[in-house]
Amino acid sequence: METAGRMGAYILRRLLLMIPTLIGIMTITFMVVQFAPGGPIDKVISQLQGGGDSASERLSGGGEQFSENVLEQGISNNDTASKYRGAIGLDPEFIKKLEKQYGFDKPPIERYFLMMWNYARFDFGESYFRKIKVIDLIKEKMPVSISLGLWTTLISYLISIPLGIRKAVSDGSRFDLWSSGVIVVAYAIPGFMFGVMLVIFFAGGSYFDWFPLRGLTSDNFDELSIFGKIVDYFWHLALPLFAMILSAFATTTLLTKNSFLDEIGKQYVQTARAKGLTENGVLYGHVFRNAMLIVIAGFPAAFVSIFFTGSLLIEYIFTLDGLGRLGYEAVVGRDYPVVFGTLFIYSIIGLVVGLISDLMYTWVDPRIDFESREV
């Protein structure tokens, strides 16, 4: 009961610490993004100057429909200088309408506090250039990113940890040498390049058409049985996961091997052997929980990296519509509500995964004292 109480207090402290962390992340990002040149208004002006049809479509994204008459009124002979690039020659009233549509008619400090109040209620607003709420966009893209991040991390750990232990135990053997060669080659091949190769060979590129190249499920997914849905789901994920696991598997395997080798050479292992314990008893009774701490410590970074950035190119190659692709397109398109919304979700997931990692420490090594830990 006392241990559970200390753990509960530690979890509560970590949860409370997430609040100022989130505030700090969002504040820094707001300062960088909001005051950087080339915002959504500059983007619309650029499209307006380049073509009326494209601009007309973009201007309808914020919920306030701009008619062709407004667009015609926007271009005038007024050469008054503007704070927006390319706005010279546009009617100042038209610029004000754009600022009101995107919320830039308010002072920065007011926009900041309004954003933080809305985000505290998980109200991320509406995309500037799509007629859809940001939270709905995130929900729509989340299954792809969770599938790629979760399965890549789990499969790579399930393969890498036993393989790393085997390599540590048989260090210097023929198995260790040839498996290290395979791992080095696998790590040297970029995941996106391997993904392109998989498409060429197995997804209808030039040779075989065995795997699908679009989406997370088939069009008739709802009509399939439960077993059929599982098969269809992993059929679509097979090639993307294979491409992503390659580098993650190599890194975790070498990390596990080096961690076990370091522990095996310590004095307490020699003492345990001198007491007559079997090699398996020494390895899994003493070495395992100490060596696995560093591997578990890398779990949040591995998951967050795969979830946030590692899947971007893979999503493009295999035509998967996930959060990585959504966030990238939002940054390029200056769709600030989507940028901030995805960043907020990313930050929460990263902080929660970090807490889960700490809790996994106690599962591996119950000797860890939460009461004495720094938050």
Side-chain angles (χ1 to χ4, degrees):
M1 291 296 293
E2 183 179 351
T3 302
R6 290 199 301 267
M7 183 182 296
Y10 174 75
I11 293 174
L12 180 60
R13 291 199 303 271
R14 285 292 299 271
L15 291 174
L16 292 176
L17 184 62
M18 290 181 185
I19 298 175
T21 304
L22 281 172
I23 293 175
I25 293 172
M26 300 306 295
T27 300
I28 294 173
T29 308
F30 179 89
M31 294 173 62
V32 172
V33 171
Q34 291 290 330
F35 299 104
I41 296 179
D42 295 279
K43 180 179 176 65
V44 171
I45 290 173
S46 175
Q47 292 175 341
L48 180 63
Q49 300 282 24
D53 292 339
S54 176
S56 177
E57 293 174 1
R58 291 294 188 182
L59 286 171
S60 63
E64 180 181 342
Q65 181 70 43
F66 279 79
S67 65
E68 293 296 330
N69 290 334
V70 174
L71 288 175
E72 292 174 0
Q73 293 172 7
I75 301 177
S76 69
N77 293 323
N78 189 343
D79 293 330
T80 304
S82 172
K83 58 183 177 181
Y84 301 106
R85 296 180 179 179
I88 297 177
L90 294 180
D91 187 352
E93 292 299 321
F94 176 71
I95 300 299
K96 289 181 180 179
K97 290 181 180 180
L98 288 178
E99 290 180 331
K100 183 177 181 181
Q101 177 183 352
Y102 295 124
F104 285 90
D105 58 328
K106 301 179 180 67
I109 190 67
E110 183 178 346
R111 296 201 307 270
Y112 169 76
F113 282 111
L114 179 62
M115 180 191 73
M116 297 303 294
W117 168 245
N118 289 335
Y119 278 34
R121 298 177 291 126
F122 285 85
D123 178 8
F124 303 134
E126 190 174 89
S127 168
Y128 282 162
F129 305 117
R130 311 185 195 193
K131 290 183 177 179
I132 184 172
K133 290 184 177 180
V134 174
I135 190 65
D136 293 333
L137 268 176
I138 293 175
K139 289 179 180 178
E140 179 184 332
K141 316 298 183 185
M142 187 72 80
V144 171
S145 295
I146 289 179
S147 295
L148 292 176
L150 182 62
W151 289 117
T152 299
T153 307
L154 287 179
I155 294 174
S156 66
Y157 267 67
L158 288 175
I159 296 174
S160 301
I161 291 175
L163 180 58
I165 295 174
R166 171 71 187 280
K167 285 174 64 60
V169 172
S170 58
D171 183 42
S173 66
R174 182 176 299 178
F175 170 79
D176 181 44
L177 293 177
W178 72 256
S179 61
S180 294
V182 172
I183 289 173
V184 169
V185 172
Y187 184 75
I189 301 175
F192 72 90
M193 183 63 69
F194 191 65
V196 172
M197 293 171 55
L198 291 176
V199 170
I200 293 174
F201 281 97
F202 301 110
S206 299
Y207 296 92
F208 305 103
D209 192 9
W210 292 347
F211 294 92
L213 192 57
R214 185 180 299 274
L216 199 59
T217 56
S218 300
D219 293 335
N220 64 335
F221 182 78
D222 294 333
E223 302 172 5
L224 300 175
S225 63
I226 295 179
F227 178 75
K229 289 180 178 179
I230 295 174
V231 172
D232 181 75
Y233 172 72
F234 284 105
W235 183 43
H236 283 75
L237 278 176
L239 296 186
L241 286 180
F242 197 15
M244 294 182 66
I245 286 171
L246 203 63
S247 60
F249 140 81
T251 303
T252 310
T253 299
L254 294 178
L255 177 64
T256 303
K257 176 192 173 182
N258 293 333
S259 178
F260 271 79
L261 280 178
D262 183 58
E263 290 296 324
I264 288 174
K266 291 184 178 179
Q267 183 61 44
Y268 74 89
V269 175
Q270 306 300 326
T271 303
R273 285 172 176 165
K275 290 181 178 179
L277 292 179
T278 64
E279 282 300 314
N280 284 338
V282 173
L283 186 64
Y284 295 102
H286 293 76
V287 175
F288 182 82
R289 64 183 181 184
N290 293 323
M292 284 302 297
L293 288 177
I294 189 172
V295 178
I296 291 177
F299 178 83
F303 177 79
V304 170
S305 175
I306 293 170
F307 188 83
F308 295 166
T309 59
S311 63
L312 173 59
L313 292 176
I314 298 299
E315 288 177 15
Y316 270 102
I317 292 171
F318 293 98
T319 323
L320 296 171
D321 203 3
L323 285 178
R325 186 172 179 175
L326 174 66
Y328 171 76
E329 291 177 348
V331 171
V332 173
R334 302 298 192 269
D335 198 345
Y336 290 164
V338 178
V339 172
F340 285 115
T342 52
L343 176 65
F344 189 79
I345 296 298
Y346 286 168
S347 301
I348 290 178
I349 292 175
L351 293 170
V352 171
V353 169
L355 176 58
I356 293 174
S357 175
D358 279 353
L359 298 181
M360 289 177 66
Y361 277 128
T362 59
W363 175 71
V364 176
D365 190 351
R367 297 172 300 174
I368 292 178
D369 184 6
F370 277 93
E371 188 172 346
S372 61
R373 289 204 63 182
E374 296 287 341
V375 295

